[in-house]
Amino acid sequence: MRILHILDHSLPLHSGYTFRTRAILEQQRAMGFETFHITSAKQKGPEVLVEEVDGFRFFRTPQPKRWYRKLPLLNQFSIVDSLAVRLGEVIEDVQPDILHAHSPALNGLAALRVAQWYSLPVVYECRAFWEDAAVDHGTSREGGLRYRATHALETHVFKHAQAITTICEGLRRDIIRRGIPAEKVTVIPNAVDVHRFQLAGEPDPALRAQLGLGPSALVLGFIGSFYAYEGLPLLLEAMPRILQVRPEVRLLLIGGGPREADLKALAERLGLRREVIFVGRVSHDEVQKYYHQVDIFVYPRYSMRLTELVTPLKPLEAMAQGRLVVASDVGGHRELIVDRKTGWLFKAGDVEDLARTVLELLGKRELWSAITQAGRKFVEQERTWQASTRPYAALYEKLARKTL
C-alpha cells in the first residue's frame, strides 16, 4: 500500500516534528508500506523540487506566487493553494492509495481539496492545536480572530477527513468534544527508540570539568526549547530554596529559544551565576553526553490549555535513559508519569512545591533505582515507536477496503 505523507516541514531540519515524522516513516516501512513525502512551502532550505535526506525522498513545494501571499491571514491560504497544486503533481507521479496529512490544518485543507479530484481517503494527524502554541509565542490571542479562525479550520478538517490520528488522550478528548465521533479518532502517542539511548550512562569527566561541575555536585537539568509554557522561571526561582538545604546542587539548562535572554537576566538577579549553567544549543549527536551529566531532569510546565492537552517528548527520553524526572502535574505530564512510581509530580505553578519535591527526592536516594527502572519499563512496554505506530496498519487497511 502506498501512503503519501503531507508535511509542514521535514528533515534535514531538526525539531520534535521532524523527529516524530522520521520515526513514523521508519516504522511504516518496516510494516511493509511504501511511503512518499511532500512538504509545504514552509520548508526552509534550497529551492528544489525533490530532495533526498537520510534515505527518504521529499517532494518540495515552491514558494507561493499569488498576489495575496504577503497579506495577513490570506498568506496562509496561499500556502494551501501552492501545496494543493504541487500535491496534484505528486499524486500523478506516485499514485498513492491514501493521503496522510499532518498538522497544521493548512496541510489538511490542501489534502481534502485534492483528494476529491482523485477519490482518495484522507487521514489527518493532529499533533497539537497550533492556535494554542501561537498564543504562547505571542503571535495570537486566545479568543481572537486568528485563534478562532484556526480553530474553525481544523474542526472543518476533522469533520471531513475519513480518519483522524492524534498524539495523546488530551487532544483526542478535545477533538471528540467538537462533535467528532470517538471511533474516528486514533491515538498514536509520542514514543522513543530505546536502542538510540544509553541506559544510565556515566558522566564524561572531561565534560563535567568543562561545565564547572565538581565531583560532589548534584545536577538538575532541562533539555529543550526555552518557550514560556515550559515554566523555566519557576525552576530558577526554586533554586535559592533548594540551595539553602543542598548547596551542592547545580542546574544545567541545555537548549535555547525566545525566553533565553529573560532567563539569563533572572538568574543574574537571583544571584545564581555560579549555580545555573546555560549550555546553549547542543547538536543531536552530542546531546547524549549531557543527559549523562544530569541526576534529575525537571520539566516545570505551567498549566495552560496547550500543556494540559499535549504530551511532551523530553520526559520520555529521560526515562528511557534511566534518569529521574520531576514534572509539574499538568495533563500532558500525567499521561506519562505515575507520581512516586515512574517519576515525581509537583503542583504546577507552585515554586514552593517544586523546591519541596526536588529536596524530597534528593533525600530519598534509596528510591532512585526503583523509580528509574519503573520509568524505563514503562517506555519499553508502552512507548516504543514500534508499539506506538502499530495501529496505523489496521487504520489504513480499513480505509483501503472502504474505497474499493
Side-chain angles (χ1 to χ4, degrees):
M1 191 181 301
R2 295 177 158 225
I3 314 300
L4 177 53
H5 290 270
I6 303 159
L7 304 158
D8 183 77
H9 61 285
S10 75
L11 298 171
L13 303 178
H14 282 190
S15 69
Y17 187 100
T18 64
F19 295 149
R20 176 179 169 89
T21 298
R22 179 174 62 186
I24 288 170
L25 300 181
E26 289 172 346
Q27 292 302 319
Q28 289 193 355
R29 287 185 173 186
M31 286 188 272
F33 295 107
E34 289 186 79
T35 67
F36 303 87
H37 335 95
I38 180 174
T39 54
S40 76
K42 290 187 176 182
Q43 173 76 18
K44 294 181 175 65
E47 287 280 337
V48 295
L49 291 179
V50 179
E51 187 175 9
E52 299 278 347
V53 186
D54 290 353
F56 296 101
R57 189 184 190 205
F58 292 97
F59 294 93
R60 304 303 190 194
T61 300
Q63 291 300 309
K65 300 295 193 295
R66 301 294 180 92
W67 62 269
Y68 50 82
R69 68 187 185 279
K70 294 184 180 180
L71 297 177
L73 292 182
L74 291 179
N75 60 354
Q76 301 302 304
F77 288 99
S78 71
I79 296 291
V80 175
D81 291 342
S82 62
L83 180 56
V85 171
R86 181 63 173 144
L87 187 53
E89 296 170 353
V90 173
I91 288 173
E92 294 282 355
D93 183 5
V94 306
Q95 298 292 306
D97 299 296
I98 291 173
L99 302 183
H100 187 144
H102 302 252
S103 294
L106 303 179
N107 296 338
L109 291 171
L112 289 173
R113 182 189 301 180
V114 180
Q116 297 178 62
W117 308 342
Y118 296 93
S119 299
L120 290 170
V122 173
V123 177
Y124 178 62
E125 180 162 306
C126 175
R127 302 186 179 190
F129 296 139
W130 285 44
E131 65 268 27
D132 293 326
V135 169
D136 182 76
H137 298 162
T139 58
S140 180
R141 178 177 56 84
E142 187 168 354
L145 176 60
R146 182 174 178 178
Y147 185 96
R148 287 183 284 115
T150 303
H151 185 280
L153 286 175
E154 194 145 47
T155 301
H156 171 85
V157 175
F158 292 150
K159 289 181 176 179
H160 291 88
Q162 280 65 54
I164 302 163
T165 63
T166 191
I167 69 169
C168 60
E169 290 295 336
L171 290 174
R172 182 176 184 269
R173 287 191 295 269
D174 192 280
I175 292 167
I176 292 169
R177 282 197 291 267
R178 302 186 192 202
I180 307 301
E183 62 272 15
K184 189 177 177 178
V185 189
T186 302
V187 174
I188 309 288
N190 272 332
V192 297
D193 182 350
V194 292
H195 301 296
R196 290 180 177 172
F197 294 106
Q198 298 175 27
L199 181 59
E202 293 299 317
D204 177 2
L207 178 59
R208 197 169 185 84
Q210 178 185 326
L211 294 169
L213 299 171
S216 62
L218 288 168
V219 183
L220 309 181
F222 173 91
I223 296 179
S225 297
F226 298 171
Y227 293 124
Y229 60 78
E230 295 291 2
L232 292 175
L234 196 77
L235 179 53
L236 290 178
E237 290 164 6
M239 279 296 290
R241 296 165 171 81
I242 295 168
L243 290 164
Q244 284 181 355
V245 182
R246 303 297 292 262
E248 72 274 27
V249 169
R250 297 294 180 267
L251 172 61
L252 281 185
L253 295 178
I254 304 154
R259 302 293 174 173
E260 184 172 356
D262 293 340
L263 292 170
K264 288 180 176 178
L266 177 58
E268 190 74 23
R269 289 199 302 274
L270 292 170
L272 298 172
R273 184 181 301 177
R274 187 171 65 93
E275 292 82 6
V276 177
I277 302 150
F278 288 88
V279 176
R281 296 186 187 275
V282 175
S283 72
H284 195 60
D285 295 335
E286 294 288 314
V287 73
Q288 185 79 60
K289 296 192 300 185
Y290 290 87
Y291 270 105
H292 292 166
Q293 297 293 337
V294 177
D295 296 297
I296 301 174
F297 281 93
V298 184
Y299 298 98
R301 286 187 161 193
Y302 294 128
S303 176
M304 58 183 63
R305 181 174 157 81
L306 183 148
T307 59
E308 293 292 344
L309 294 179
V310 179
T311 55
L313 186 56
K314 292 301 182 185
L316 280 179
E317 294 180 349
M319 293 160 72
Q321 295 175 84
R323 297 293 161 181
L324 295 164
V325 173
V326 168
S328 59
D329 63 353
V330 296
H333 287 152
R334 292 199 307 273
E335 283 196 39
L336 303 178
I337 298 166
V338 179
D339 191 26
R340 267 53 176 187
K341 292 184 179 180
T342 58
W344 286 41
L345 298 175
F346 70 92
K347 186 177 179 181
D350 189 330
V351 66
E352 294 289 350
D353 197 41
L354 169 54
R356 184 165 50 248
T357 301
V358 169
L359 288 170
E360 184 179 353
L361 184 53
L362 287 173
K364 294 187 175 181
R365 196 152 192 155
E366 71 278 6
L367 302 179
W368 288 15
S369 178
I371 294 170
T372 56
Q373 288 178 28
R376 170 76 179 196
K377 184 178 180 181
F378 165 72
V379 174
E380 289 178 338
Q381 292 183 344
E382 299 185 36
R383 290 304 177 97
T384 65
W385 283 116
Q386 185 178 17
S388 174
T389 57
R390 197 172 293 130
Y392 281 130
L395 178 63
Y396 288 161
E397 295 290 345
K398 181 179 178 181
L399 291 177
R401 287 196 301 270
K402 286 184 177 180
T403 55
L404 290 177

